Amino acid sequence: MKDVKTPTTRSYHDYLISSLQDSEHAAAYIEVALELEEGESEPELLRAMLKDIVDARLKLNNLSEEAKFRYQKLDKILSETGGAEIYTLVELLDALGFRIAIAPKLIN
């Protein structure tokens, strides 16, 4: 029987950050956080996922000062509210028959 190495938490995190450098992957990652069923959302999940995306952009040296400022501002709000407003908006849209889609911004 071959020895199978299980990835460590650190190697998984490195892989995750690397994959989030792709805008399509990052968009899908955010959608996962927003599409959780009612009662499944965890207050820290959205914050953690956004931090992963910011970390990926930092690793690419591709994060503007404005984006850093906006991230810090939103992170503070999320730490205080747990994202209740965001999840309530998603739930309302779902009840109305809509969903939020996250897509990379087209740059000309």
Side-chain angles (χ1 to χ4, degrees), residues 16-28 53 56-57 60 104:
L16 176 63
I17 296 302
S18 176
S19 70
L20 292 175
Q21 291 174 354
D22 177 273
S23 294
E24 294 285 334
H25 285 108
I53 292 169
R57 292 289 175 98
L60 283 173

Side-chain angles (χ1 to χ4, degrees), residues 43-57:
E44 294 298 312
L45 182 61
L46 184 58
R47 283 183 72 204
M49 294 176 99
L50 291 172
K51 182 180 183 324
D52 289 340
I53 292 169
V54 167
D55 288 348
R57 292 289 175 98

